[in-house]
Amino acid sequence: MRTSLRSALVFSAISAALLAGLPAHAAGQANASSYQAAVASPIRTADDHKDDAKRKPAEFLSFAQVKPGMKALDVSSGGGATAALLTAAVGPKGEVWAQNAKPNAKLQERVGNATLPNLHAVVADFNDPVPKGTPPLDLITINMSYHDIANTPADRAAMNKRLYEALKPGGLLVIVDNAAKKGAGLSATKTLHRIDEETLVEEVTAAGFKVDGRGDYLHVASDPREQPFFKMDKPDDKFAVRFKK
């Protein structure tokens, strides 16, 4: 296993070097190839791959504009599926912090088994989820968890302000979540585990962020948005919003 992980990291380093000297159109193709390589990385587990068809990890990396060498934070990381994907994509010169409000055994096991020095499990309150001593960040992700944070006593205004402060100028915050009906606000966060996109945008932009892009790669127009996503027997509607500092 460790040999495979070393090979993955070496490949990431070579990919980064090649990308630096390519023209824009070729670099775009190389980025797509490097994202596919990150998806296939041995850093990711069999359980991670089970959700690939639903989560579309290569499209996520592209939307988040992940590049080798980035410093990234994954908020409410759970077992670390997104953090592991980011670690594979940023390569050995990048660094990823996986934050949870309380210890997560699956994440701890993942970090311990992978023996990757650039993936860190962090326990921190949502009011200040940024680990102490981290350098200015290039990227922060919250993958299908903002609605869960809304169900905690956390002060999301304080959290979003702290995330804004933690990013470099031009840094990105990417949030993916389960779509509630338009105008639903926060009314479905606990019952349906969904959130209204515009309500989320209002909260995040109040911290100083600007909307930099919206992704429809997980949009499902046929979803009536009346059930929890985990009770549906077909794909549910999700949205992706990229914010910039």
Side-chain angles (χ1 to χ4, degrees):
M1 178 64 175
R2 292 189 182 186
T3 300
S4 298
L5 290 171
R6 290 193 195 100
S7 299
L9 294 175
V10 168
F11 177 82
S12 296
I14 293 172
S15 297
L18 291 174
L19 282 171
L22 290 176
H25 70 281
Q29 293 176 340
N31 273 332
S33 178
S34 69
Y35 294 151
Q36 291 295 342
V39 171
S41 170
I43 293 171
R44 304 183 71 228
T45 68
D47 282 344
D48 296 339
H49 287 289
K50 287 179 182 178
D51 289 330
D52 282 353
K54 293 189 296 184
R55 294 200 173 197
K56 300 184 179 179
E59 289 88 341
F60 168 77
L61 292 174
S62 177
F63 180 72
Q65 300 179 358
V66 182
K67 296 180 178 63
M70 275 186 163
K71 309 295 185 186
L73 167 67
D74 184 44
V75 174
S76 191
S77 199
T82 299
L85 177 67
L86 291 171
T87 301
V90 302
K93 292 186 178 180
E95 203 159 6
V96 177
W97 289 264
Q99 178 268 349
N100 284 306
K102 58 184 179 180
N104 184 288
K106 187 174 181 180
L107 175 61
Q108 294 290 348
E109 181 181 3
R110 182 193 296 272
V111 171
N113 287 345
T115 61
L116 293 173
N118 59 337
L119 173 59
H120 315 286
V122 176
V123 177
D125 189 86
F126 286 123
N127 292 340
D128 186 2
V130 182
K132 300 296 186 288
T134 55
L137 298 168
D138 301 288
L139 173 68
I140 298 172
T141 58
I142 308 178
N143 201 356
M144 288 180 275
S145 294
Y146 196 96
H147 74 273
D148 286 322
I149 298 171
N151 294 329
T152 73
D155 182 343
R156 294 188 305 284
M159 179 187 76
N160 292 332
K161 182 180 179 181
R162 184 69 187 97
L163 297 181
Y164 185 87
E165 294 169 348
L167 284 166
K168 295 177 180 178
L172 301 176
L173 167 64
V174 172
I175 301 180
V176 180
D177 218 320
N178 311 305
K181 289 184 177 181
K182 186 174 181 179
L186 302 175
S187 65
T189 58
K190 187 173 291 185
T191 55
L192 302 181
H193 292 268
R194 296 172 178 264
I195 189 168
D196 174 45
E197 180 177 349
E198 295 310 318
T199 298
L200 185 148
V201 168
E202 287 176 9
E203 290 193 358
V204 174
T205 54
F209 286 98
K210 304 296 183 185
V211 174
D212 185 59
R214 301 194 191 221
D216 61 358
Y217 65 96
L218 293 174
H219 176 54
V220 179
S222 61
D223 178 11
R225 294 173 282 182
E226 295 173 344
Q227 288 182 289
F229 70 95
F230 51 83
K231 290 188 176 181
M232 295 181 62
D233 56 4
K234 57 184 179 180
D236 64 290
D237 187 27
K238 301 181 189 297
F239 60 84
V241 186
R242 186 177 61 243
F243 301 91
K244 179 178 283 189
K245 177 175 178 175

